[in-house]
Amino acid sequence: MKLDVLTLFPQIITPALQTGILKRIQESGELVVNTYNIRDWTTDRHKTVDDYPYGGGAGMILKPEPIFSAVSAMHPTEDTEIIYLTPQGVPLTQSIVEGLSIKSHLIFICGRYKGIDERIRKKIVTKEISIGDYVLSGGEIAALVLIDAIGRILPGALGDFESAHEDSFSKDFLDHPHYTRPVEFEGMKVPEVLLSGHHENIKKWRYTQAIIRTAERRPDIIKNLELTDEELDILREDKNN
Ligand code: ADE
């Protein structure tokens, strides 16, 4: 996958890609990230990237010309997804991440200030994505969130391929609790079943915990799932205890 990031602040993006899984996946060649400064596509002496909004009001707007030129220089094809990061976009989910992870070319446009000229959205942006209902000072951190979420599920990113499929959100439920040594810490013991070596019982316990945890923390997720009779029983039993 080739991923081009257009920003006024490449220095936010570049260092974050040099550690851990993101570093490894780039070294493997599965992911190539290029970060470009939008200012490099200005043509005037002052390298102007923004201007006052027509109609008045506070804040500056990113001008269309440099961004049109920059995107064009990335040679987008029919398959390229051109993504603008904005609180007005569709809320990011794991299923959107999975959809993007099978594309061959992504272009991220990071805004700053009051936003971008509407003609950029109309003519070149193919998807607008929000990472949550709050306002960041620019799209860079949102782009990093997306790059991280996509990068870690690309083939070869995780040492153990299985673990991507065991994630909460990759399945329907949140993750179950995890324990490691010591077996007792500050009076708190690891649940007996996890020490039993009985794989079927361990699986059942984790599954039960995942369902209960999801119902407690994210009733919105539970509401949208078609639960099996077994899953409904687990929740009923939990309520009675
Ligand atoms: N840019 C500013 N705020 C944002 C958000 N919540 N999501 C994506 N991009 C943004």
Side-chain angles (χ1 to χ4, degrees):
M1 171 186 291
K2 185 154 82 90
L3 207 156
D4 297 319
V5 186
L6 304 180
T7 168
L8 289 170
F9 298 98
Q11 65 271 34
I12 300 177
I13 305 287
T14 318
L17 305 176
Q18 283 159 13
T19 331
I21 289 181
L22 286 181
K23 179 180 178 198
R24 181 139 47 88
I25 192 71
Q26 289 175 94
E27 285 169 352
S28 81
E30 283 287 335
L31 176 67
V32 177
V33 184
N34 299 307
T35 307
Y36 299 98
N37 195 327
I38 295 166
R39 211 174 284 282
D40 292 341
W41 278 273
T42 54
T43 51
D44 64 313
R45 206 156 52 88
H46 301 290
K47 297 186 177 292
T48 312
V49 290
D50 58 351
D51 210 334
Y52 295 98
Y54 276 121
M60 300 292 272
I61 309 297
L62 292 186
K63 290 165 64 60
E65 306 95 315
I67 292 180
F68 267 66
S69 300
V71 167
S72 169
M74 302 296 117
H75 303 294
T77 66
E78 283 285 291
D79 189 51
T80 304
E81 202 77 76
I82 303 173
I83 298 166
Y84 174 50
L85 288 316
T86 166
Q88 297 164 39
V90 290
L92 184 61
T93 60
Q94 189 65 22
S95 124
I96 293 176
V97 171
E98 284 165 11
L100 293 174
S101 76
I102 55 173
K103 295 268 175 185
S104 56
H105 187 201
L106 304 177
I107 300 174
F108 289 167
I109 301 173
C110 304
R112 280 268 149 182
Y113 319 120
K114 265 284 162 194
I116 58 174
D117 187 284
E118 190 66 17
R119 289 161 292 191
I120 301 166
R121 291 184 135 124
K122 281 196 172 141
K123 197 66 179 264
I124 51 182
V125 168
T126 60
K127 224 185 202 73
E128 299 190 21
I129 293 179
S130 165
I131 63 159
D133 289 338
Y134 40 80
V135 183
L136 304 168
S137 55
E140 287 78 10
I141 290 170
L144 283 174
V145 166
L146 254 173
I147 296 170
D148 188 281
I150 293 169
R152 67 181 285 284
I153 62 166
L154 291 177
L158 296 166
D160 173 5
F161 186 69
E162 272 302 296
S163 55
H165 293 280
E166 286 178 10
D167 287 348
S168 44
F169 290 115
S170 277
K171 290 180 307 181
D172 296 328
F173 301 113
L174 300 185
D175 206 0
H176 55 77
H178 297 271
Y179 290 90
T180 185
R181 280 187 284 190
V183 77
E184 183 170 344
F185 179 70
E186 302 214 340
M188 294 176 287
K189 287 197 174 126
V190 173
E192 205 62 50
V193 59
L194 298 180
L195 311 173
S196 68
H198 193 302
H199 294 297
E200 264 316 302
N201 287 353
I202 292 171
K203 212 165 142 187
K204 177 94 206 287
W205 181 84
R206 287 180 168 163
Y207 179 59
T208 303
Q209 292 295 314
I211 295 167
I212 293 171
R213 183 165 273 200
T214 309
E216 278 170 5
R217 299 184 182 197
R218 296 293 301 273
D220 56 313
I221 293 181
I222 287 286
K223 214 173 65 199
N224 288 322
L225 290 175
E226 289 220 13
L227 298 183
T228 63
D229 286 344
E230 190 193 358
E231 289 161 354
L232 287 169
D233 281 345
I234 289 171
L235 287 179
R236 243 177 256 125
E237 195 167 319
D238 180 57
K239 239 192 207 136
N240 293 335
N241 288 332

